[in-house]
Amino acid sequence: MRFDILTIFPELFASPLQEGILRRALQAELISVKLHNIRDWTLDKHSMTDDRPFGGGEGMVMKPEPLAACLKDVQTGGKGHVVLLSPKGRQLDQAHVERLATLEKLVLVCGRYEGVDERFRLQYVDEEISIGDYILTGGELAAMVIVDSVTRMLPGVLGCADSAANDTFSRGLLKHGQYTRPREFEGLNVPDVLLCGDHAKVREYRFLESVRETLARRPALLSRVEFTSSERKLLKREGLYQKVQQMMKNHAN
Ligand code: 9D3
């Protein structure tokens, strides 16, 4: 996967790419990340990337010409899929991340100020993505979230130990709580079942904990989960089946 990032703050991306899984993915050439400074494509003597909005109002708007010139340079080696990071975009979720991970070249355009000129969006942007309903100072951290979440889905990036198949969202249930040494911490013990060595019992316990956590924290997630018949039996035995069924109905879509 190739990421091209258009930004007025390329240095914001330096340290997140220098640590951990992203660093290894870069070294192994499973990804490449190229940063493009929009300011390098300004033509005026003050290198202005923004200007006042026509019609008046607060704040500044990113000028379309430097963005377009920068993008055209980036697209000489293939157009790629052009994403504008924007609070008006569709909210990112794991299914969307997995679709992005199938693409060969992602072009991430980071807005600053009040946004980018509408004509740039109309002419060049394939899709607009938001990372959630809160306000950032610009698109850079959102672009970094996409690089991070997409990279870990690429074949060969994660080891078997923390493979994507075992994730929080892999089957729509939240993950059970986890424990490591010591067996006792500040008076709290690791649940006995995790120490008993009976793998079937452990699996059963973790499944039930996952369902309980999901019921308590994110019940809407249950509407998309499919339970096997033995799981349904287990839920009935634990008196959870009614509640789960109710939640699946409440949040059906
Ligand atoms: C007054 C209207 N504001 C929209 C809520 C203007 C505005 C605020 C902040 C326009 C852009 C921004 C900067 N944010 C992003 O560029 C951004 C973002 C975000 O703020 N939240 C979630 N996802 C994203 S993706 C890009």
Side-chain angles (χ1 to χ4, degrees):
M1 164 81 64
R2 180 186 170 100
F3 297 96
D4 284 286
I5 304 178
L6 281 59
T7 172
I8 59 169
F9 295 130
E11 284 169 14
L12 249 168
F13 295 85
S15 81
L17 296 170
Q18 282 169 29
E19 307 289 343
I21 289 169
L22 294 183
R23 180 200 179 96
R24 273 191 276 124
L26 280 161
Q27 279 172 344
E29 296 185 56
L30 297 168
I31 59 168
S32 77
V33 181
K34 300 290 175 231
L35 294 158
H36 307 271
N37 193 337
I38 298 161
R39 203 174 297 284
D40 294 343
W41 299 88
T42 54
L43 294 170
D44 64 302
K45 64 177 177 181
H46 298 295
S47 299
M48 298 296 288
T49 57
D50 62 329
D51 204 342
R52 289 150 53 212
F54 277 121
E58 296 287 286
M60 299 292 269
V61 177
M62 287 186 83
K63 293 166 67 59
E65 311 98 304
L67 282 167
C70 185
L71 181 61
K72 280 173 185 152
D73 176 59
V74 161
Q75 290 184 319
T76 51
K79 284 208 178 302
H81 184 68
V82 180
V83 171
L84 174 65
L85 287 311
S86 156
K88 285 164 70 179
R90 181 158 145 222
Q91 192 169 323
L92 188 67
D93 62 19
Q94 184 61 22
H96 199 160
V97 167
E98 287 170 27
R99 282 197 300 281
L100 295 173
T102 67
L103 303 171
E104 236 158 62
K105 169 168 166 147
L106 261 183
V107 181
L108 304 174
V109 181
C110 306
R112 280 268 149 180
Y113 320 113
E114 291 302 298
V116 310
D117 187 285
E118 190 68 0
R119 293 160 298 179
F120 173 79
R121 191 180 70 76
L122 287 168
Q123 293 285 64
Y124 296 105
V125 172
D126 294 319
E127 112 174 271
E128 288 180 75
I129 297 178
S130 159
I131 60 164
D133 290 341
Y134 39 81
I135 306 181
L136 302 171
T137 58
E140 281 79 6
L141 292 178
M144 202 58 241
V145 164
I146 291 185
V147 171
D148 188 279
S149 57
V150 168
T151 297
R152 66 183 288 292
M153 294 314 296
L154 299 174
V157 169
L158 296 186
C160 305
D162 52 358
S163 93
N166 204 22
D167 278 352
T168 294
F169 292 110
S170 67
R171 61 168 300 190
L173 289 172
L174 298 182
K175 196 156 179 165
H176 50 82
Q178 303 256 57
Y179 298 85
T180 185
R181 290 187 287 187
R183 280 181 180 216
E184 191 239 291
F185 172 71
E186 299 188 352
L188 301 175
N189 290 312
V190 174
D192 284 334
V193 59
L194 299 178
L195 309 171
C196 75
D198 181 338
H199 296 301
K201 276 234 168 65
V202 168
R203 253 199 311 280
E204 192 172 288
Y205 166 81
R206 286 179 165 167
F207 167 73
L208 290 167
E209 281 298 299
S210 281
V211 173
R212 288 193 187 98
E213 290 279 58
T214 310
L215 269 171
R217 299 177 191 229
R218 301 284 305 279
L221 291 177
L222 288 167
S223 66
R224 294 188 202 169
V225 181
E226 303 208 17
F227 293 108
T228 66
S229 58
S230 62
E231 285 172 344
R232 281 195 290 270
K233 219 171 115 188
L234 207 51
L235 291 172
K236 281 177 193 157
R237 194 191 76 195
E238 296 296 312
L240 284 168
Y241 193 67
Q242 292 279 332
K243 260 183 244 171
V244 168
Q245 285 271 293
Q246 193 55 52
M247 286 300 178
M248 290 177 98
K249 258 185 231 150
N250 288 349
H251 300 279
N253 50 9

